[in-house]
Every structure is written in structure tokens, then in C-alpha cells.
Amino acid sequence: MQVKITSFFRSPDAPQPSNTTVEDFVPSETTEPEIRITYKRQTPKQDSIFCRNNENNLETDLEPESPISLDAPANPISNSSRIINKKRSYAQLHLELGQSDFLLHTCSACGLKYARGEEGDEKVHKEYHKNSINGIKFKGWRHERVISADVDSGVRIILVLDDDPSSQMNKVREVLKMVEGDLGLCEDWLFHKLCKVYLFIAAHRIAGCLVAEPIKTAYRVVSNFEAKSSSNNSYIKKHKSNLTMLQFGGFHFHQEVTKKAQHVKKSERFDDDCDRAIFCEEEAEPALCGVRAIWVAPSNRRNHVATKLLDAVRKSFCADSILELSQMAFSQPTPAGRALASSYCGTGSFLVYNTGLKC
């Protein structure tokens, strides 16, 4: 049996009747609640505002995971207020599959890897290629510490120290980053507070850079280049054969044979491999200036830029005197650096020193 509906409207203290049915209920004005519903017509302007507010509320309450059915009828109000973005992204997705240069091209001149046809990569490669081949762009500074200059051509060498303005040091760091990448050095290894940086400026670009530091001692290289070259010349002369005459009809040809191929022993091959290493004397010699690194842009490497930088270092490193060649040392030079030091010093027995810092 169901209780009377009037029981839901009684107070909890009143006793409830038993064995009652819904049919025994008689509505009355005192027990039945009164519910009034009012309808009001709105103007067309108010209808549009009301619809837009309801639409915004529906869009915020709608979960992003809920799918939208394409078969549902279109809402004219929603279509009029919603802006559909028709721009599509055509970004190419690929897997490298273990290949770091899957879609990259390596420039044979500057060594940069980039994606051909990609606008961003092409722009970066173009700028990097110019900087690595011709040097980094340089507009100039108001206050420059000029060591030497050519007024007609605008070529000059400037000196930058650690306590110079931040704008100058930022440009120096950009150049040093290029030098470290070109020479295969570790990042932030080349420069410290005691270093002096010499910049070679030509055609509004930094075409050369030299980093020098103060040192106390250095070691002289043991050079066997002259002895080996003289022995090779004597060997060639020794194996020259006598001049012979070849006659073809009325023509006479003189033939001279030089034996170029020679048997290389294992010991001599070991000596050739050891040429890559640097052998120094045991006793240290006093020195004042250490050349930490030299870099010249490829387009200026036949213009004696490195020699001019070394001359500027000898002229300005010490305030009261000019450095002698015996007071300048080089930091563990590469084969190209060793050839430069030998040419500049006039002998293969030049000074080298250890920086004491591991890359």
C-alpha cells in the first residue's frame, strides 16, 4: 500500500495514518503548494543577446573529450558567431631511424648541417656561411683600443680586455664561439680574465682573432725538420742516374731518371708518426707572452693576417717594451700552427707552453 501524498507535506511530529491509499486523498487549498509560471515575450534584440549568452555557457560547460556529431542539424546562431580557422599545418614528421642526418645536408665549406628547402634552416645557413668564410659582422665601437690601423683601407687591429664594456665583451664571446667551433675546442675554454683578445677588422667584419695570456716559463721545441730535409735531398741526388741519350731519327732526347720510390722501414715510419707530437727540451726558459689561439677567416688566410696579429701582440702586450721572439710561446700548436710558428720565428725550434687547463 502507498501512503497518502499529504504525508509528505505534514510535520514530522504529526501521527501518520495507516492503511491509506492515494484514492482517499482529497486536495485542499491549505495543503497543496501553489506553483506559478509566468511567460514574458522578449524583443528580437534581447533574444539575440540571450542566445549568445546561452551559447557561451554551453561552450564552456562542454567537455573537450566529447565528440561532435557531423549528422546533427546546424545551429544558425552558433554558425553565425563561430569563426572557423581553415589554416592547416603541413609540418613534416619523420623518424630518424638511427640516422642523425636523415634529411640534413652538410655544407662542404662551413660544415653546417641544415635541411634544404626549409626557410628557417636556409636563412641560418646563409648567415653562418658568411660569418665562417668572411668573418663576423662588425659595425664598430665608439671607444676602440686601436693597436694598428690603415686609414685608407679601414683595416685595423683592436685590443679587448676583460674589464671592457659589456657590448664589446658580447661581440668577443660571439667571435670566440666561432673560433672554438672552428678549432675543435671545448666551449668557454679559450678565454679567462687575464687574456687579451686581438681582433683584426677588415671590410666591416672580424676576419681574424688572437688570444694571448701572460706566462712565466716555456719549453723549446726540438726540431729535426732541417736534418730530415737535408737527408732527403742527399738521397735523391744519390739515386739520380746518369744522363742518357735517346735518338729517334733526327731528334735527340736527354733522359734523366730519379728514383722516387723508396723502401720505408718500420723505425722510419714510427719517426714519421712521431712528427705529429711535439718534443721539447727538459729545461724551461723564461717567457712573458703565451699565444693561446689564432684564428683567421678562410677568405683572408693568404693576406698575412696571422703575422699582423702576432706583430700587434709583440708591440702592445707589454706597455714599456716590445717582445722579443724568445719571449713569446705558443700553446700546443696543431700542424698548421706549428708551420706558422716556424715561419714567423724563422726556425723550427720555437717556444711552446702548457696551458694547464684540460679541455
Side-chain angles (χ1 to χ4, degrees):
M1 298 295 293
Q2 297 180 355
V3 298
K4 287 186 177 182
I5 299 178
T6 57
S7 64
F8 292 96
F9 302 97
R10 291 184 180 183
S11 61
D13 297 335
Q16 297 182 4
S18 59
N19 300 329
T20 58
T21 60
V22 179
E23 289 78 4
D24 297 334
F25 173 72
V26 178
S28 61
E29 295 180 359
T30 58
T31 60
E32 183 178 0
E34 182 178 1
I35 301 175
R36 295 182 180 181
I37 301 175
T38 304
Y39 297 92
K40 182 180 180 181
R41 183 173 182 82
Q42 297 178 352
T43 60
K45 182 178 180 181
Q46 294 178 350
D47 290 343
S48 61
I49 297 175
F50 177 77
C51 292
R52 284 197 296 269
N53 292 336
N54 290 342
E55 182 186 2
N56 294 333
N57 295 333
L58 290 174
E59 289 180 358
T60 55
D61 295 337
L62 184 63
E63 295 182 359
E65 293 82 8
S66 60
I68 300 175
S69 177
L70 298 178
D71 299 333
N75 187 357
I77 299 177
S78 177
N79 291 338
S80 61
S81 61
R82 182 178 299 175
I83 299 176
I84 301 176
N85 186 9
K86 296 183 179 181
K87 184 177 180 181
R88 298 181 181 179
S89 176
Y90 296 94
Q92 183 180 7
L93 303 178
H94 63 86
L95 297 177
E96 292 188 354
L97 302 177
Q99 301 179 11
S100 59
D101 55 349
F102 189 73
L103 290 177
L104 300 180
H105 171 73
T106 303
C107 180
S108 59
C110 64
L112 182 67
K113 292 183 178 181
Y114 67 101
R116 283 182 171 179
E118 187 72 22
E119 183 179 358
D121 282 19
E122 291 284 357
K123 184 177 180 181
V124 172
H125 170 253
K126 183 178 180 180
E127 185 67 21
Y128 183 85
H129 188 89
K130 288 183 178 179
N131 293 339
S132 61
I133 300 300
N134 302 325
I136 298 177
K137 289 182 179 180
F138 183 73
K139 296 182 179 179
W141 300 320
R142 288 186 178 180
H143 304 286
E144 296 180 351
R145 196 179 287 105
V146 180
I147 305 302
S148 62
D150 187 356
V151 180
D152 297 334
S153 61
V155 176
R156 62 192 184 277
I157 298 176
I158 61 177
L159 173 62
V160 183
L161 303 178
D162 181 67
D163 56 352
D164 284 347
S166 59
S167 60
Q168 299 183 12
M169 292 306 302
N170 291 336
K171 178 60 69 173
V172 168
R173 292 188 185 95
E174 182 182 355
V175 176
L176 294 181
K177 186 176 180 181
M178 175 73 69
V179 175
E180 290 170 347
D182 196 5
L183 299 181
L185 301 175
C186 296
E187 188 176 357
D188 298 332
W189 176 86
L190 193 56
F191 181 80
H192 57 81
K193 293 183 178 180
L194 299 179
C195 287
K196 297 182 179 181
V197 181
Y198 294 82
L199 302 178
F200 185 89
I201 312 299
H204 302 286
R205 287 185 177 271
I206 301 176
C209 175
L210 186 148
V211 182
E213 62 180 346
I215 59 174
K216 295 181 179 180
T217 58
Y219 296 88
R220 189 164 296 277
V221 175
V222 178
S223 176
N224 57 352
F225 176 76
E226 296 178 357
K228 184 174 291 187
S229 61
S230 61
S231 62
N232 290 337
N233 293 335
S234 62
Y235 180 85
I236 293 175
K237 291 180 181 179
K238 182 178 179 180
H239 288 80
K240 282 186 178 181
S241 62
N242 296 328
L243 296 177
T244 57
M245 179 77 68
L246 295 179
Q247 182 176 0
F248 294 94
F251 299 94
H252 300 274
F253 297 91
H254 293 280
Q255 182 182 10
E256 181 179 1
V257 180
T258 302
K259 186 177 181 181
K260 296 181 179 180
Q262 63 183 33
H263 177 69
V264 180
K265 298 180 181 179
K266 291 184 178 181
S267 58
E268 295 178 356
R269 187 178 302 172
F270 176 77
D271 294 338
D272 293 338
D273 294 337
C274 291
D275 287 343
R276 300 178 182 178
I278 299 176
F279 296 92
C280 305
E281 296 180 356
E282 295 181 358
E283 295 183 1
E285 298 183 12
L288 297 177
C289 175
V291 179
R292 198 171 177 86
I294 303 177
W295 173 82
V296 180
S299 61
N300 292 273
R301 288 182 180 174
R302 295 190 177 273
N303 298 333
H304 306 285
V305 175
T307 302
K308 295 176 182 178
L309 288 171
L310 290 172
D311 291 339
V313 172
R314 292 179 57 194
K315 177 181 177 182
S316 63
F317 190 82
C318 295
D320 54 349
S321 62
I322 298 177
L323 288 175
E324 300 291 338
L325 292 176
S326 59
Q327 297 175 327
M328 178 182 292
F330 298 86
S331 170
Q332 304 174 5
T334 60
R338 187 173 179 178
L340 172 63
S342 300
S343 175
Y344 185 78
C345 297
T347 176
S349 181
F350 53 90
L351 293 179
V352 296
Y353 75 102
N354 190 358
T355 58
L357 298 176
K358 294 183 179 179
C359 179

